[in-house]
Amino acid sequence: MSLSIISANRLRDGRTVWRTANGEWAEDVQAAGALDAQALALGLQAAALQPQTVVDVHEAAVTLAADGTPILTAQREQIRATGPSVRPDLPVSTWGATGAALPPLPSETSTSPFAGIYRYDDYDRQFLRDRAAQFGDQAARRLAGELSEDEFKPLRLMNGLYLQLHAYMLRVALPYGILSAAQLRQLAYVARHYDRGYGHFTTRQNIQFNWLRLEDAPAVLALLAEAGIHAIQTSGNCVRNVTTDEFAAAAADEIVDPRVYAEILRQWSTDHPEFTYLPRKFKIAITGSPQDRAAVRVHDIGIMARRNAQGEPVFQIFAGGGLGRIPVIAVKLRDELPVHDLLRYVEAILRVYNALGRRDNIHKARIKILIREMKPEHFIEMVENEFASLPADYCVLEADVVAAVAARFGAPAFETLEANPAAFSSALKDHRAFRAWVRTNTHPHRQPGYISAVISLKTPGSIPGDVKAEEMDKIADLADRFSFGELRVTHQQNLVLPHVRKADLHAFWSELVTLGLAAGNIGLVTDIIACPGMDYCALATARSIPVAQRIAERFAGPERQQEIGPLDLNISGCINACGHHHVGHIGLLGVDKSGTEVYQITLGGASDEKAAIGTIIGPAVPTEQVPETVEKIVNAYIANRTEGETFIDTYRRLGLAPFKEAVYGNH
Amino acid sequence: MAIINAQGREVADSWTTSEPDAAPAPYAIIPLADLPPAGEKLPAPLGVQLPPGAVLEDIAARLGSFALIAIEFPKFRDGRGFTLARTLRQKYGFKGEIRAVGHVIPDQFVALLRCGFSTLSTSPEHPAAQWHLPSATSPENPAHPGQLLHRLMNRGLAA
């Protein structure tokens, strides 16, 4: 006889609960009553009548231990009952809300006045406060039964609040990945007082808190508003956080400042009356330089700045790229869109998509499927017709508008410095580890004497993208001291101090060494992009974090990583591809094969200007063999590479064969 | 059901939804599928009800004969009706009443108005009392000048 128990998350705080034999909801899985098929049906019926108490009511298969206590069969349910396997220090328990008075907000004393964030005015601040209050009202109406869960869900998602395995998760927008030290302190405050002491930086340059209580969410949004931060449109079927190059307004090779256009797109898309209930989510990326550091060809709309024959900045427009179940490289719609037409053109694309995108099948609702089903030529024709029929004065981006938005960013007060100060040269000469770190973790700055520096959140053994509250505070101090109080989040889940004086770089690096954040691995094999996987995520089918940790540990030696050279290794814990596995030079996709986690391997993916979707190399390998298999692939590359040839170039020259042989051949 | 106007106030309503196969009468809202062929003499005033997937091009030439266009929302998450309304106003210059019918929720009120809806038909789940505009000083109020971009473009972003 098959047995089940009934599980759910408690509505008000998201905590996992289990239904007992007498119909109570218990916090301990051991208290759950094991049910046969008939009792299960009755129990589910009864639970369905408690929508104001619990959400996501579902059954979970169990067997019985000798003493009669239920043992969960599925790994996902085991993780729900115990907590993330990668954080044994954080078992499932009731957390937060001790009732103690909280200390003053960091925003009361910390402002980072020189950071290059978009400066809000009174209207913007009031808007964020009102949005927080509005969500408080929506949550209250949900708790009171005025809104059904079906109606509330899109509203909470539009405010960044998901329900995950263990709790609600709040995804906070860091618009185009830029934040100030003061804002990072505010985030640390949330992590410390409303969550369980940490946050997770994501591939959309956002931050997620994993243990938010629904009843605390309005207060958290309100306090974030005081630092000019929000969670608007970080989820839901709307235009999401626009992403850009992490070296924006610092990189030497930039044509336009992409922050300005990303902010214009943010304001245009925020609460857009027409495009807030799209067929599916919608992601826009923009890069201001001809080198694509924002993966624009795998976005719903990708925008790339270039110069036309007259030397004026124009935009190349792509649409229909994306990862997920059906990875697609975007098609090009325009080669030289004038700057003043940017919003009009984006609006035309969205209008065609909103009218015609599929709504009958969630897996076929993205714009990439519409474009494929319509054929790109027809889609482009429709967009062009829509664009041509817009009123002439509608949504025109005049130069004075762009200039006024740009003026809100302020410019860092760069000093006139020597391009290569002696202190920097001698530090490079004297410190081998520093030299290696500079080689991988810095990027040229357009201002003489300055450099952009990347703080790796991928120290081998750590969880990619996770940062503790204390670390946030310390990184904020470093940003204030070394980079005008400004930081960036990269889509590879690292942090950047964009404007460091070269003469100070050694001092900065020494501080990172003290903090244990000086891994010199940016762009190398251990700089792994990984989604949270089944340890946190309700969609995941595999635990991606432990795999990332094992691979990073295997290649942890700095010399070994340097020897291998540039290599993007991306891991997703399910087909939705949040870990961008399709565009990793080596991509790993965790799937569940009759109850066992296995990993499918792809090679040859890329997200830069030579964007490509990786090719599956062969049958999936068991999880425990993944690190060793990656090593075989890497060794095959080293054996076959020519002088100075990178992994991806060797793959492009030789194709799959030598790697396939290394992984599956008889050795 | 009760009809709400753009101020969130319940208003008297003379319109009736036309029964299938009934002859068109003044103040009837006829489903698009039942609309008599172009050229046939129609009573006035007349309304038409569009399904969310309606292709406006097909009826563009006849829009002038309608005093009211009702747009169906099968689910509040289905946002096609917003594009239909905005296109009616912006591309076709429709000046009559545009009414939202079906599943819409009070949280969508402002967006509906900004896309050009003038009225909506309420449901038992969301009765008239739940529909009200944000206060005049709130940034969410459609009369508010908006964020910097909207102010600079003089609401050139609106319909």
Side-chain angles (χ1 to χ4, degrees):
Chain A
M1 185 176 62
S2 68
L3 289 174
S4 303
I5 56 177
I6 295 175
S7 185
N9 293 73
R10 199 156 56 199
L11 174 64
R12 63 181 173 80
D13 60 2
R15 196 204 190 290
T16 41
V17 285
W18 291 267
R19 198 163 191 273
T20 65
N22 50 16
E24 306 284 309
W25 291 99
E27 294 185 353
D28 180 4
V29 66
Q30 301 296 333
L35 312 166
D36 62 19
Q38 198 186 358
L40 174 67
L42 288 173
L44 287 172
Q45 263 173 31
L49 298 176
Q50 298 177 288
Q52 261 106 269
T53 308
V54 286
V55 280
D56 193 26
V57 175
H58 63 278
E59 61 190 89
V62 292
T63 55
L64 291 186
D67 64 355
T69 52
I71 302 170
L72 289 156
T73 317
Q75 188 179 31
R76 178 199 313 273
E77 293 300 324
Q78 291 165 7
I79 291 172
R80 285 183 76 247
T82 48
S85 71
V86 291
R87 293 296 303 265
D89 55 322
L90 291 180
V92 160
S93 67
T94 302
W95 64 94
T98 56
L102 296 178
L105 293 176
S107 56
E108 288 175 22
T109 48
S110 161
T111 57
S112 303
F114 306 110
I117 56 169
Y118 179 82
R119 295 288 163 180
Y120 282 173
D121 58 19
D122 287 342
Y123 163 76
D124 299 308
R125 274 185 290 274
Q126 193 54 43
F127 175 78
L128 294 187
R129 289 182 193 123
D130 286 350
R131 274 296 293 251
Q134 182 189 35
F135 183 65
D137 169 63
Q138 289 164 342
R141 282 154 59 211
R142 170 69 184 93
L143 289 163
E146 239 181 81
L147 284 172
S148 68
E149 180 62 17
D150 185 45
E151 291 174 333
F152 178 61
K153 188 176 169 187
L155 303 177
R156 73 164 152 76
L157 289 177
M158 263 175 247
N159 286 287
L161 200 65
Y162 282 75
L163 181 64
Q164 294 288 24
L165 291 184
H166 313 291
Y168 289 98
M169 177 196 91
L170 182 69
R171 181 181 294 155
V172 177
L174 304 172
Y176 29 95
I178 302 182
L179 76 161
S180 69
Q183 290 175 326
L184 186 57
R185 290 189 183 99
Q186 205 87 336
L187 294 167
Y189 185 94
V190 172
R192 189 174 284 125
H193 298 297
Y194 292 93
D195 201 274
R196 299 181 81 179
Y198 65 108
H200 174 78
F201 288 102
T202 77
T203 54
R204 283 209 75 66
Q205 304 180 298
N206 291 321
I207 185 168
Q208 292 175 177
F209 296 105
N210 291 301
W211 304 88
L212 248 282
R213 304 149 59 94
L214 173 61
E215 54 200 3
D216 287 341
V220 169
L221 294 177
L223 81 85
L224 289 175
E226 295 309 312
I229 317 175
H230 62 79
I232 300 166
Q233 291 175 210
T234 55
S235 178
N237 295 335
C238 49
V239 180
R240 304 284 190 89
N241 186 26
V242 178
T243 51
T244 191
D245 172 8
E246 62 263 29
F247 301 117
D253 60 359
E254 200 164 270
I255 293 169
V256 301
D257 180 351
R259 299 175 309 172
V260 175
Y261 298 94
E263 175 61 26
I264 287 170
L265 286 162
R266 187 188 74 80
Q267 294 192 21
W268 164 82
S269 64
T270 298
D271 280 341
H272 195 294
E274 186 180 348
F275 304 136
T276 299
Y277 296 89
L278 295 169
R280 197 77 181 88
K281 58 188 169 184
F282 203 91
K283 299 177 179 177
I284 302 177
I286 177 169
T287 172
S289 99
Q291 202 190 340
D292 181 3
R293 287 182 288 264
V296 300
R297 286 172 184 79
V298 289
H299 280 78
D300 295 290
I301 292 179
I303 303 166
M304 198 161 186
R306 57 186 303 191
R307 287 192 191 282
N308 64 12
Q310 291 75 48
E312 302 153 348
V314 289
F315 292 120
Q316 248 180 355
I317 305 288
F318 300 87
L323 301 175
R325 281 161 201 266
I326 304 170
V328 181
I329 301 296
V331 295
K332 192 161 70 184
L333 277 69
R334 282 287 191 107
D335 234 340
E336 297 187 353
L337 183 78
V339 168
H340 63 258
D341 281 336
L342 179 68
L343 286 181
R344 292 165 61 80
Y345 203 80
V346 170
E347 181 123 355
I349 295 172
L350 261 305
R351 190 162 291 169
V352 171
Y353 171 57
N354 193 40
L356 298 179
R358 286 182 64 167
R359 291 174 190 266
D360 59 333
N361 180 340
I362 188 178
H363 302 310
K364 295 188 173 171
R366 296 288 292 269
I367 194 173
K368 61 192 173 188
I369 306 294
L370 175 70
I371 295 177
R372 196 178 65 176
E373 291 187 350
M374 284 178 77
K375 301 279 180 281
E377 318 79 73
H378 187 206
F379 174 79
I380 293 170
E381 190 191 323
M382 286 202 71
V383 170
E384 291 293 341
N385 286 342
E386 195 60 48
F387 176 67
S389 72
L390 290 173
D393 58 347
Y394 178 67
C395 252
V396 181
L397 204 50
E398 302 288 3
D400 60 328
V401 174
V402 177
V405 174
R408 288 286 193 94
F409 281 93
F414 291 123
E415 297 165 61
T416 306
L417 299 175
E418 247 186 282
N420 280 300
F424 181 54
S425 311
S426 64
L428 280 177
K429 204 160 78 205
D430 298 345
H431 303 277
R432 195 156 158 259
F434 174 60
R435 194 160 64 235
W437 179 85
V438 170
R439 202 182 305 137
T440 48
N441 290 41
T442 61
H443 194 269
H445 201 287
R446 63 181 174 209
Q447 186 71 22
Y450 287 86
I451 197 163
S452 300
V454 187
I455 303 174
S456 171
L457 302 181
K458 315 289 182 65
T459 303
S462 67
I463 296 176
D466 274 16
V467 184
K468 295 190 197 81
E470 308 80 71
E471 290 172 329
M472 290 184 210
D473 281 338
K474 286 180 176 153
I475 292 170
D477 292 346
L478 293 179
D480 271 340
R481 188 172 146 203
F482 291 104
S483 182
F484 300 94
E486 184 177 339
L487 296 122
R488 309 287 174 86
V489 183
T490 77
H491 80 267
Q492 295 91 350
Q493 306 173 284
N494 294 307
L495 295 174
V496 171
L497 261 57
H499 318 295
V500 182
R501 299 195 321 178
K502 282 184 180 172
D504 293 339
L505 195 62
H506 184 264
F508 170 60
W509 172 78
S510 305
E511 296 287 350
L512 290 183
V513 171
T514 312
L515 296 179
L517 291 169
N521 61 351
I522 297 306
L524 303 182
V525 61
T526 58
D527 183 11
I528 297 170
I529 294 179
C531 70
M534 208 204 278
D535 283 303
Y536 292 99
C537 176
L539 299 174
T541 48
R543 292 181 306 136
S544 38
I545 296 169
V547 174
Q549 290 173 316
R550 295 299 88 72
I551 294 170
E553 281 158 6
R554 194 169 186 108
F555 291 98
E559 289 79 14
R560 173 81 165 132
Q561 296 185 54
Q562 293 282 350
E563 184 209 356
I564 299 165
L567 204 174
D568 293 347
L569 198 159
N570 299 351
I571 308 178
S572 301
C574 81
I575 192 90
N576 292 304
C578 295
H580 297 187
H581 66 278
H582 298 297
V583 290
H585 300 157
I586 299 178
L588 299 171
L589 166 64
V591 289
D592 178 277
K593 198 175 163 192
S594 3
T596 315
E597 263 179 34
V598 296
Y599 278 81
Q600 211 172 63
I601 303 174
T602 50
L603 295 183
S607 62
D608 58 9
E609 35 323 318
K610 291 185 185 166
I613 303 298
T615 307
I616 296 174
I617 182 172
V621 302
T623 301
E624 57 283 2
Q625 287 174 23
V626 170
E628 147 190 2
T629 308
V630 170
E631 180 133 50
K632 285 178 185 167
I633 291 168
V634 167
N635 287 341
Y637 150 64
I638 290 175
N640 284 288
R641 70 180 168 190
T642 60
E643 179 75 26
E645 192 179 48
T646 61
F647 178 89
I648 188 67
D649 287 335
T650 301
Y651 170 84
R652 285 172 180 158
R653 181 170 56 85
L654 296 175
L656 275 183
F659 301 102
K660 216 167 173 160
E661 170 63 20
V663 173
Y664 302 105
N666 298 317
H667 296 287
Chain B
M1 290 305 296
I3 302 298
I4 293 293
N5 70 6
Q7 282 70 49
R9 281 194 283 275
E10 197 172 335
V11 288
D13 185 43
S14 338
W15 293 92
T16 54
T17 306
S18 177
E19 294 297 321
D21 303 326
Y27 288 104
I29 303 174
I30 305 176
L32 179 63
D34 297 344
L35 202 61
E40 203 163 299
K41 179 133 174 58
L42 295 173
L46 191 69
V48 64
Q49 179 156 328
L50 305 181
V55 179
L56 293 178
E57 270 179 2
D58 297 349
I59 51 164
R62 312 177 65 182
L63 290 172
S65 49
F66 306 121
L68 177 148
I69 296 179
I71 295 175
E72 284 170 37
F73 285 79
K75 280 201 189 87
F76 80 107
R77 294 193 303 274
D78 185 336
R80 287 177 289 178
F82 294 101
T83 282
L84 283 177
R86 199 166 237 205
T87 307
L88 278 170
R89 295 285 188 222
Q90 196 181 66
K91 189 169 172 179
Y92 296 106
F94 181 73
K95 298 278 190 281
E97 178 175 341
I98 302 182
R99 178 178 292 185
V101 300
H103 188 193
V104 284
I105 62 173
D107 306 82
Q108 294 174 310
F109 194 24
V110 171
L112 289 166
L113 299 178
R114 288 179 59 196
C115 283
F117 284 92
S118 14
T119 58
L120 61 93
S121 175
T122 59
S123 63
E125 292 75 29
H126 299 292
Q130 286 186 11
W131 296 83
H132 43 80
L133 281 182
S135 74
T137 54
S138 161
E140 303 261 292
N141 187 294
H144 192 278
Q147 291 197 82
L148 178 66
L149 183 74
H150 293 77
R151 297 201 294 273
L152 292 168
M153 296 175 76
N154 196 18
R155 284 266 167 175
L157 296 167

